[in-house]
Amino acid sequence: MVGDQLVDPLEIIKNQYNTTYLEDAQIDNLEDKNFFKQHMLEGYEKLQSLNNKYHNEPALIMGLGPSLFETNQASHRDDIKFTCNHFHMVPDFFDKDMKPDYWCAANSYDELKDPFQFCMKKNIKSIVTIPIRKEFVKLLKMSKTKLVYPWMWEQKIFQIALAQKYGIKKAYSHCNTITNHMIAYALWMGCNPINVTGFDLSHNQALETYGSTHAGFTDSRVKTDKSIHGSAALDNPAMRKQIMADLKYLCFIANKNNIKINNMSYRSNKLPETLS
């Protein structure tokens, strides 16, 4: 993306696949570079194949906040189901009737390798990106190719594709919460309505209210000292501002296209029950 001009994502992958914003992200091995580029090209084609795949079908976006447990599962068993990150750690929720259709993640290899391997074993489709390319190659090498939809991080490949689909001149950010990415994926796939649960928007508040930062487990990295902001993006004011800006962007798309986004976690996150 140059200024406000959106560059064609396919051209970015073809011409700029070995550029990076992170000095330690260079891939030294030519074989691995070619492996990475091929997977990015195939990943873009796969993402294109998902465009409007579920036109006007309901989606259930499942973040991992404690409000996930308040979901009426019976009402959403037939939704296209998205979840994220360490969903395999949530107890007694993702049974066979609530098996995710898509697992979504944007993080480091160490954070994603366990749930990614779990998804490969359970044949769950994965939409995934990792900022550091050496780590991304490691992840992709243990994947079932047909199940994985990888996309490039630093050039915001997916964000650009979404903006172009809906005729918007700017793409949303690299994103500070995977829930926004999941909403974006549902928009890309044409889902309507988009029901969002487990979107509590504060790990520290969740810890105070429910005794855990997530649905049934606690992220040990989140600081419990309320006098300082938690290490997670949800409790960092600057990052939270970006989260809300991205959510506003996605709701703008939904409003313009008569797509309804329902906030099932409104009691926890204090946002409107209907976001668009």
Side-chain angles (χ1 to χ4, degrees):
M1 187 165 58
V2 181
D4 289 340
Q5 182 180 359
L6 296 179
V7 180
D8 180 67
L10 192 57
E11 290 304 310
I12 292 174
I13 297 170
K14 288 179 178 178
N15 300 325
Q16 302 181 36
Y17 76 99
N18 59 351
T19 62
T20 181
Y21 295 141
L22 304 175
E23 291 181 2
D24 62 344
Q26 296 290 352
I27 301 173
D28 300 321
N29 183 290
L30 180 60
E31 181 180 345
D32 283 350
K33 282 186 178 181
N34 290 331
F35 175 88
F36 177 83
K37 182 176 182 179
Q38 185 60 36
H39 274 70
M40 293 305 101
L41 288 169
E42 291 177 359
Y44 184 67
E45 291 178 1
K46 289 178 181 178
L47 283 174
Q48 288 295 332
S49 73
L50 294 177
N51 190 354
N52 283 337
K53 181 178 176 66
Y54 303 109
H55 181 64
N56 281 339
E57 293 187 40
L60 179 63
I61 305 299
M62 295 179 284
L64 301 184
S67 64
L68 177 68
F69 286 142
E70 298 168 5
T71 308
N72 183 337
Q73 292 177 291
S75 299
H76 298 281
R77 294 195 191 280
D78 295 329
D79 291 9
I80 307 303
K81 291 179 281 294
F82 299 80
T83 195
C84 58
N85 299 342
H86 295 84
F87 80 102
H88 63 305
M89 295 176 63
V90 177
D92 304 321
F93 186 86
F94 293 101
D95 60 21
K96 63 179 181 178
D97 291 325
M98 292 300 289
K99 178 183 175 182
D101 296 292
Y102 294 92
W103 172 76
C104 311
N107 212 315
S108 67
Y109 173 81
D110 287 339
E111 282 298 307
L112 300 185
K113 63 180 179 179
D114 290 342
F116 185 77
Q117 287 178 315
F118 183 88
C119 289
M120 295 301 98
K121 291 178 182 177
K122 298 294 184 180
N123 290 319
I124 297 170
K125 298 182 183 70
S126 299
I127 306 176
V128 65
T129 188
I130 290 182
I132 300 177
R133 293 184 176 189
K134 282 182 179 179
E135 295 188 350
F136 209 171
V137 168
K138 287 172 64 178
L139 194 78
L140 292 173
K141 282 189 172 181
M142 66 182 188
S143 73
K144 295 181 181 178
T145 306
K146 66 179 181 178
L147 294 176
V148 182
Y149 299 75
W151 56 273
M152 283 177 59
W153 169 268
E154 67 269 25
Q155 298 290 351
K156 301 197 292 189
I157 291 296
F158 172 70
Q159 290 94 319
I160 293 172
L162 184 73
Q164 290 177 334
K165 170 178 177 173
Y166 287 105
I168 300 175
K169 293 182 179 180
K170 292 185 179 181
Y172 71 95
S173 80
H174 282 99
C175 217
N176 294 321
T177 176
I178 192 64
T179 301
N180 277 340
H181 275 317
M182 291 193 288
I183 294 170
Y185 297 143
L187 288 169
W188 176 253
M189 296 183 199
C191 298
N192 189 16
I194 299 171
N195 305 298
V196 185
T197 186
F199 189 35
D200 292 57
L201 277 178
S202 173
H203 290 145
N204 286 338
Q205 185 62 45
L207 190 63
E208 183 177 314
T209 303
Y210 298 96
S212 62
T213 60
H214 292 70
F217 68 97
T218 293
D219 186 336
S220 60
R221 298 170 302 166
V222 178
K223 296 180 176 67
T224 58
D225 183 351
K226 303 304 185 298
S227 67
I228 55 178
H229 296 292
S231 60
L234 295 181
D235 294 294
N236 178 300
M239 292 185 179
R240 186 183 174 95
K241 182 178 179 180
Q242 187 60 62
I243 288 170
M244 299 309 297
D246 287 334
L247 182 60
K248 183 178 179 180
Y249 174 97
L250 298 171
C251 289
F252 172 80
I253 289 177
N255 274 318
K256 292 283 286 185
N257 293 275
N258 297 313
I259 297 170
K260 190 173 183 180
I261 301 179
N262 297 314
N263 174 24
M264 297 165 60
S265 298
Y266 67 95
R267 293 185 183 87
S268 297
N269 60 35
K270 308 305 180 185
L271 298 177
E273 188 172 357
T274 300
L275 295 173
S276 70

